[in-house]
Amino acid sequence: MYYCYPIYFYPPQPQFLAYRQFPEVDPDLLYDSANETKKLMKEASVVLDRFASSKGFDKQVMTAAQESNMDEVKRLIKSIGITSDVDVHVNPDGLRLEFVSMVGNTECCRLTVALRWNKIVGPVKL
């Protein structure tokens, strides 16, 4: 035996919506975060320009990474002349650079650049 239950729909009442209050927005952190991210993008562009223009530099970074010499990889990246904090992660397939910036004591933005150096077929997580 089947039973049919009525479906009740109560549309929102306009008088209740009129009293809903939203907090005042403060765009300061978003503004600062956008400006800091623009700086990170410029620094990432400097790093990418160096990788794109010097196979010798690329070979040094890859050799240090292959030897698990992360201090040397980080030193090479910093030697390009960037001032931002950069977290460097390597694996056999490539390199991931995370440029991080702070506004006050708050991490406001993070820009991740993933580059590949191994020709493996199929999806690979850098």
Side-chain angles (χ1 to χ4, degrees), residues 2-122:
Y2 296 100
Y3 295 97
C4 291
Y5 294 100
I7 298 174
Y8 297 101
F9 174 72
Y10 299 102
Q13 300 299 320
Q15 68 268 20
F16 295 119
L17 295 178
Y19 296 110
R20 188 170 175 193
Q21 302 260 333
F22 292 102
E24 192 67 32
V25 296
D26 182 9
D28 290 344
L29 184 58
L30 179 59
Y31 177 84
D32 292 340
S33 183
N35 283 304
E36 286 296 317
T37 303
K38 286 173 64 175
K39 292 176 190 174
L40 294 180
M41 290 178 72
K42 287 179 184 176
E43 294 212 339
S45 181
V46 170
V47 172
L48 292 173
D49 287 344
R50 181 65 183 267
F51 279 128
S53 65
S54 175
K55 286 188 179 182
F57 181 78
D58 297 352
K59 186 173 183 176
Q60 286 180 317
V61 171
M62 291 175 73
T63 301
Q66 187 175 28
E67 296 169 354
S68 296
N69 188 352
M70 289 306 296
D71 291 333
E72 180 64 8
V73 172
K74 291 176 184 178
R75 187 195 68 75
L76 288 166
I77 300 295
K78 282 290 199 178
S79 74
I80 297 172
I82 59 173
T83 58
S84 297
D85 291 334
V86 180
D87 295 332
V88 180
H89 307 275
V90 296
N91 62 35
D93 298 320
L95 171 74
R96 189 176 77 237
L97 305 171
E98 292 185 3
F99 296 82
V100 181
S101 189
M102 306 281 280
V103 170
N105 292 330
T106 304
E107 180 182 313
C108 69
C109 43
R110 182 176 289 260
L111 177 68
T112 303
V113 176
L115 301 169
R116 188 144 192 204
W117 61 43
N118 192 3
K119 297 178 185 173
I120 293 190
V121 178

